[in-house]
Amino acid sequence: MTMFEMKDLVKQFDDVTACDHVTFHIKKGETYGLVGESGSGKSTIAGMIIGLLEPTSGSIRMNGESLWQNGNYKRNKDGAIQIVFQDPQSSLDPRMTVRQIITEPLRVLPKAVRRERSDDRYLANLLKRVGLNEGHLDRHPHEFSGGQRQRIAIARAVITDPQFIILDEPTSALDVSVQAQILNLLNSLQQERQLTYLFISHDMSVIRYMCDRVGVLYHGKMVEEDETDSLFKAPRHEYTRKLLSSLPQLKSEEDQYV
Amino acid sequence: MLLEINDLSVSFSSIHGTFHVLDQVSMHIGPGEIIGVVGESGSGKSVTALTILRLLQDNASIDSGKILFQNQSLLDLTEKEVQTLRGKKIGMVFQEPMTALNPTMKIGRQLANVIRKHRGVSKKEAAELAVRALEDVKIKDPEKVAQKYPFQLSGGMRQRVVIALAMSAPPQLLIADEPTTALDVTVQSEILKLMKELSQKKGTSIMFITHDLAVVSDFCDRVYVMYQGKIVESGQTGEVLSQPQHPYTRALIESLPEGKKKDEPLKVLEGEPFNLAERPAGCVFFERCPLRAERCRSTLPVVSKGKHHRVACWEADHDHV
């Protein structure tokens, strides 16, 4: 079943077309990967989905309903779309406590839900689920490592019980051993909560591991889209091939002695 | 040997205590060699580079050890002597090219200034050499680029300019600290290729600092793996990465998503690194190690595996010849 449908999406900034007639869909429960280099339009697309950037033309539908109507952003359900950014250093307000940070998205929800989810026990469970503990609730972001901060950002994203989360380079600023922890957490949360992900990354090995299908962006255009396996095994577009051949690879032993 | 570091220990002091950021680090680089120093945040890889360049901040102290560069003790030089070395014999490239360039000066002039300083040529000659240096780093239309300001160039182009600056002397040693981390992969692969070519052409050795094992695998002859201020494993790149002996190196490689399917969770390193203010007496990896035994708590061995492979682990003794 299709959850998201982007049709002929265009975003024009003065003389730059950041997103150039992009069409794709995201199925419910899948992880859809968007890859491309800086300036390829990945984050522009994310911005239009969460309502930060108004599309110049084209449409985005979530569960059949248009997200943008006459220049206004309409949520089809409050808190249904969430986002986790690359740099938890700048995406968490340094003056807020963890409690304030992760309960902030509740503001848009009905009072009863708000009360239930800002309860200490609920928050303790949530923190535990993302690998932190309740003792962390009243601390500030600077007291945490990069990986822990990203866990806080993930807790903030799931507290509204979203259907869909945009993961915009969620592990690019992390050490590899921490990256593994965060990727595992994202995968297990997805299973538990039947989440749909849009995973944005420039890291092809992470994309290959996480995504069911992948779209490749180049200068604002989607030049290729495919199931992850076929895209990596048989890339059709010249740019995808270049991208894949540029990847440094951990050589296996056989390669060393050939 | 071009550069030899012996038993280098460095600590930082602050109001929060004394942090032992390097603990008896030893490494060497031969002429023309490309070595990799790999590790995660806080492992001490950048501090090692800054110590060689004598760019440590005032709150740092060198507690022990020696650094020999062309048989000259770097740590005993006066600041003035170091300045003649820095840039001329030891070049450097850092992660963010914008911060290494003067934003208010045209590229050509920045290069010419450096060239004049190192080679003592006339202004006119320096300007010509600057254009040639841009050509050397494969910049198309070097005359035109020389007339531009840094902000007018892309990240990849800027890093080429920084490399041109660093290689202008040319130096015997180039220290490159995450030089491609901020760049796109297609640009990264071009920059790595360029650095390798320059190294071969000019006989410059490279100390390549990175968190990226795959880049090391492609680029470096030998590798040092650091964890919390200590070298835990070193050797030929191919050997270390294909037959890692230290549990930390293994964990690092296994945590990469390469070649794994989504339904198999990635191997995860349990726990967190220790606080550098409280260095353990024995193995630095003790708290997180799946193979730890009682003897690891108090002593840390350096085991040789074959001719060049060194591992700071008791367990490395057992398996594998």
Side-chain angles (χ1 to χ4, degrees), chain A residues 107-120:
Chain A
R107 281 198 218 166
V108 297
L109 298 181
K111 206 170 177 188
V113 184
R114 230 156 56 206
R115 196 171 296 151
E116 175 210 324
R117 295 193 194 159
S118 42
D119 176 66
D120 270 1

Side-chain angles (χ1 to χ4, degrees), chain A:
Chain A
M1 208 180 93
T2 301
M3 174 180 273
F4 266 95
E5 228 182 321
M6 333 288 157
K7 217 169 184 179
D8 233 4
L9 206 52
V10 176
K11 179 68 195 175
Q12 188 84 29
F13 294 107
D14 299 324
D15 52 352
V16 180
T17 311
C19 178
D20 193 354
H21 298 277
V22 170
T23 299
F24 67 105
H25 69 279
I26 304 173
K27 293 181 215 160
K28 193 172 184 320
E30 79 172 340
T31 301
Y32 187 94
L34 274 184
V35 294
E37 308 198 328
S38 13
S40 64
K42 312 183 292 279
S43 298
T44 302
I45 292 177
M48 291 189 282
I49 295 174
I50 57 169
L52 289 175
L53 295 171
E54 188 194 340
T56 307
S57 66
S59 69
I60 306 175
R61 286 170 181 280
M62 180 183 188
N63 300 326
E65 278 175 64
S66 197
L67 283 183
W68 286 94
Q69 284 165 16
N70 308 322
N72 291 318
Y73 182 69
K74 308 256 186 215
R75 293 176 195 84
N76 69 348
K77 185 173 162 277
D78 284 328
I81 302 178
Q82 288 286 9
I83 186 163
V84 174
F85 293 101
Q86 169 170 355
D87 182 6
Q89 189 95 282
S90 57
S91 68
L92 305 179
D93 188 328
R95 281 161 303 194
M96 287 164 88
T97 62
V98 171
R99 181 195 301 274
Q100 290 168 328
I101 290 169
I102 61 178
T103 56
E104 197 180 27
L106 293 176
R107 281 198 218 166
V108 297
L109 298 181
K111 206 170 177 188
V113 184
R114 230 156 56 206
R115 196 171 296 151
E116 175 210 324
R117 295 193 194 159
S118 42
D119 176 66
D120 270 1
R121 202 175 320 142
Y122 186 91
L123 293 177
N125 277 332
L126 178 63
L127 280 188
K128 216 167 121 198
R129 182 61 197 89
V130 299
L132 298 167
N133 64 60
E134 56 190 314
H136 291 139
L137 266 176
D138 295 305
R139 300 217 199 147
H140 290 85
H142 75 269
E143 298 174 69
F144 296 90
S145 66
Q148 287 174 319
R149 280 193 213 123
Q150 207 55 308
R151 292 176 193 274
I152 296 169
I154 291 169
R156 172 175 65 183
V158 298
I159 198 167
T160 58
D161 210 359
Q163 301 168 28
F164 176 74
I165 303 180
I166 298 175
L167 303 162
D168 192 352
E169 305 264 12
T171 61
S172 302
L174 304 177
D175 279 325
V176 283
S177 66
V178 181
Q179 165 172 285
Q181 297 170 0
I182 297 294
L183 295 180
N184 285 347
L185 173 64
L186 290 171
N187 276 335
S188 62
L189 282 172
Q190 180 174 40
Q191 293 222 323
E192 248 168 63
R193 296 167 170 251
Q194 282 90 47
L195 290 164
T196 305
Y197 287 155
L198 174 64
F199 198 103
I200 297 175
S201 180
H202 69 283
D203 186 328
M204 299 297 274
S205 62
V206 172
I207 286 279
R208 185 172 201 176
Y209 175 67
M210 292 293 288
C211 302
D212 302 299
R213 292 188 304 133
V214 182
V216 182
L217 290 169
Y218 183 62
H219 291 323
K221 286 199 171 74
M222 188 171 279
V223 294
E224 182 161 1
E225 187 198 44
D226 210 336
E227 308 267 330
T228 307
D229 268 348
S230 4
L231 184 104
F232 277 83
K233 281 184 190 138
R236 284 162 296 162
H237 194 276
E238 194 190 338
Y239 175 69
T240 316
R241 279 189 219 129
K242 187 177 175 203
L243 203 58
L244 290 174
S245 68
S246 305
L247 280 184
Q249 305 245 315
L250 259 192
K251 292 188 185 70
S252 62
E253 217 169 320
E254 300 92 77
D255 299 336
Q256 299 294 332
Y257 301 108
V258 171

Side-chain angles (χ1 to χ4, degrees), chain B residues 16 18-20 228 272-280:
Chain B
H16 302 292
T18 303
F19 297 88
H20 302 278
Q228 296 290 90
E272 300 255 331
F274 61 84
N275 181 343
L276 288 167
E278 297 147 24
R279 279 207 94 79

Side-chain angles (χ1 to χ4, degrees), chain B residues 18-147:
Chain B
T18 303
F19 297 88
H20 302 278
V21 290
L22 287 187
D23 183 15
Q24 296 190 305
V25 165
S26 297
M27 53 176 87
H28 61 271
I29 307 174
E33 204 181 18
I34 300 182
I35 65 140
V37 179
V38 65
E40 301 187 286
S41 339
S43 62
K45 47 195 199 307
S46 296
V47 178
T48 307
L50 293 176
T51 314
I52 297 169
L53 293 162
R54 290 270 304 269
L55 289 173
L56 287 174
Q57 290 178 338
D58 290 344
N59 67 339
S61 94
I62 295 166
D63 301 326
S64 73
K66 253 192 185 153
I67 303 178
L68 295 175
F69 178 74
Q70 297 181 319
N71 294 321
Q72 194 177 20
S73 173
L74 278 187
L75 301 180
D76 295 328
L77 298 182
T78 62
E79 179 55 30
K80 215 167 173 186
E81 289 168 320
V82 174
Q83 276 178 17
T84 62
L85 221 68
R86 228 186 262 142
K88 187 167 187 177
K89 293 193 161 178
I90 306 180
M92 47 215 160
V93 177
F94 297 109
Q95 176 170 343
E96 188 35 73
M98 199 59 199
T99 57
L101 296 169
N102 182 341
T104 65
M105 200 190 280
K106 285 178 182 167
I107 300 293
R109 220 178 117 208
Q110 298 195 41
L111 265 163
N113 282 352
V114 172
I115 290 168
R116 282 196 71 189
K117 182 144 196 194
H118 293 324
R119 304 205 199 160
V121 292
S122 74
K123 267 193 176 168
K124 198 169 159 248
E125 263 177 291
E128 280 163 20
L129 287 171
V131 172
R132 208 163 313 146
L134 290 175
E135 233 168 41
D136 269 355
V137 292
K138 309 269 163 66
I139 285 179
K140 284 179 211 128
D141 239 337
E143 284 93 359
K144 220 166 134 192
V145 172
Q147 292 307 314

